[in-house]
Amino acid sequence: MPLTWTVAREGDLGTADHTELAAMLATAYPQYPGKFTGTRSWLGARPEARVVGRDGEVAAHAGVVRRFVRAGDTDQLVAIVGLVGVRPDLAGAGHGREVMARTAALLDDLAVPFGLLLCDAHLTGFYTACGWHARPCASTTLAFDPWNPAAERVDVPAMVLPVRAALADWPRGDLRWNTQQV
């Protein structure tokens, strides 16, 4: 069944929207029990915009926020992408690729040079198939995360999507994530 897609700006969402988003994200991210409850539809930084697919209820989602990260010696503007998920009962129907294609279009509308996301290693093939590239770096250091205060350096792939710049323009060096993840 095809989904109906929208881009929702955070300021346009109300209590009912956040409740519905939180319920779907709780099913998409069972490894974070109790994090998506009530109206809490974000994990770290709140997105500024969300790509949402619906089939009567929220079926697919990705959050986006523009930030600067430190890559090597460069402060690089990026659109951080996170909370990418599809309702488990719809897994395998192509909605994940669709949410990523629509997210890429949103990043182009936001006129950012790059998209950036962190993912589990087993998901790199999915993101690569969606046009993202594993970013070579020695380490990724996160800003303080209240959900995981002990985490500083993470050993997960950082994926980059060239949007308004060429992949060759991505700065070399370690990545310092000077904000929370989406």
Side-chain angles (χ1 to χ4, degrees), residues 78-81 107 112-117 132 159-163 170:
V78 298
I80 297 171
V81 175
L107 300 185
V112 294
F114 299 101
L116 178 67
L117 62 83
W132 294 72
M159 305 292 292
V160 173
L161 180 69
V163 179
W170 180 263

Side-chain angles (χ1 to χ4, degrees), residues 23-45:
M24 189 288 275
L25 291 168
T27 67
Y29 288 92
Q31 68 270 36
Y32 298 115
K35 301 294 188 213
F36 300 107
T37 59
T39 59
R40 186 171 174 86
S41 64
W42 62 93
L43 192 57

Side-chain angles (χ1 to χ4, degrees), residues 96-98 100-101 123-134 159 161:
R97 288 181 191 261
E98 181 74 11
M100 292 311 296
L123 294 173
T124 59
F126 166 75
Y127 289 112
T128 299
C130 293
W132 294 72
H133 302 268
M159 305 292 292
L161 180 69

Side-chain angles (χ1 to χ4, degrees), residues 29 41 61 68-69 86 92 112 143 156 173 180 182:
Y29 288 92
S41 64
H61 176 275
F68 282 90
V69 296
V86 174
V112 294
V156 296
Q180 289 182 317
V182 174

Side-chain angles (χ1 to χ4, degrees), residues 94-166:
H95 300 307
R97 288 181 191 261
E98 181 74 11
V99 76
M100 292 311 296
R102 291 179 181 273
T103 299
L106 172 59
L107 300 185
D108 188 56
D109 288 347
L110 295 174
V112 294
F114 299 101
L116 178 67
L117 62 83
L118 297 181
C119 67
D120 291 335
H122 73 278
L123 294 173
T124 59
F126 166 75
Y127 289 112
T128 299
C130 293
W132 294 72
H133 302 268
R135 192 190 80 69
C137 67
S139 70
T140 299
T141 304
L142 298 175
F144 174 74
D145 180 353
W147 298 111
N148 187 4
E152 288 183 12
R153 289 185 185 255
V154 294
D155 186 21
V156 296
M159 305 292 292
V160 173
L161 180 69
V163 179
R164 296 278 180 107

Side-chain angles (χ1 to χ4, degrees), residues 54-71:
R54 297 178 188 273
D55 64 355
E57 58 187 88
V58 176
H61 176 275
V64 174
V65 65
R66 288 173 281 193
R67 294 283 194 268
F68 282 90
V69 296
R70 188 87 170 151

